Amino acid sequence: MDKLGIYIMPAVVLCIVLFGFLRKVPVFDTFVAGAKEGLHSTVSILPSLIGLIMAVSMLSASGALDLLSSFLAPVASLIGLPKQAMPLALIRPVSGSGSTAVLTQIFQDCGPDSFVGRVASVMSGSTETTFYAIAVYFGAVGIKKTRHTIPAALTADLTVCVISALTVRLFFS
């Protein structure tokens, strides 16, 4: 079974190329045109990604994330969310890699099988990197006005934060 994974990707590529030849499609020219279009899409979303990466770096380096987490800790305790999970709740909508680093830190500090670790796991698996997804997908198609997208997505992320603590209590208490 281990060796099967080695052969799957080359087999898929070979099938695509053979299918193209059978349908009399200029495979290489089509590939080059697709790569050119992909490069154009990458260049068009690059400014949004650079701005997002810079914002996440500034949030983390300035200590604003820790300050905001400690400020929101009383609210978190009212809704049953552990205060150790607040940095994850704040960074997850902005950055996937940043939230993975925070999740790893929570696992090291509290343990993955602790209440905090389980809440953080549910939260991490159930939320979306809202601003990243909007920057990439809306930027790729040229949408400038997000209208209701950001409020709806952040409401969903907030709901997940509350429900994650309730779910862990329900299933692990």
Side-chain angles (χ1 to χ4, degrees):
M1 193 63 157
D2 291 339
K3 299 221 184 242
L4 182 66
I6 296 170
Y7 300 111
I8 294 236
M9 279 309 293
V12 168
V13 171
L14 183 65
C15 287
I16 291 170
V17 170
L18 286 174
F19 184 75
F21 279 130
L22 292 173
R23 306 252 322 179
K24 296 187 182 358
V25 173
V27 176
F28 185 73
D29 294 338
T30 305
F31 172 77
V32 170
K36 186 177 179 181
E37 190 176 314
L39 186 61
H40 177 70
S41 295
T42 301
V43 169
S44 71
I45 65 171
L46 199 57
S48 301
L49 289 178
I50 290 172
L52 192 60
I53 290 168
M54 188 177 74
V56 170
S57 299
M58 288 173 50
L59 258 177
S60 299
S62 69
L65 185 64
D66 296 330
L67 184 66
L68 191 56
S69 294
S70 62
F71 178 73
L72 292 174
V75 175
S77 66
L78 284 176
I79 60 175
L81 192 64
K83 67 179 181 179
Q84 297 92 332
M86 281 306 298
L88 179 64
L90 293 172
I91 200 74
R92 180 69 180 156
V94 180
S95 168
S97 58
S99 66
T100 301
V102 171
L103 181 65
T104 302
Q105 188 63 45
I106 290 171
F107 287 164
Q108 288 174 350
D109 293 346
C110 304
D113 289 329
S114 66
F115 176 72
V116 177
R118 288 178 173 161
V119 168
S121 295
V122 171
M123 191 184 308
S124 182
S126 302
T127 54
E128 177 60 69
T129 52
T130 302
F131 292 106
Y132 174 81
I134 289 171
V136 170
Y137 299 128
F138 281 31
V141 294
I143 296 174
K144 301 279 188 228
K145 295 181 181 178
T146 59
R147 198 169 170 188
H148 302 299
T149 306
I150 292 175
L154 291 178
T155 301
D157 288 339
L158 177 63
T159 303
V160 166
C161 291
V162 173
I163 297 298
S164 64
L166 292 172
T167 303
V168 170
R169 275 198 177 80
L170 178 68
F171 287 106
F172 295 102
S173 290

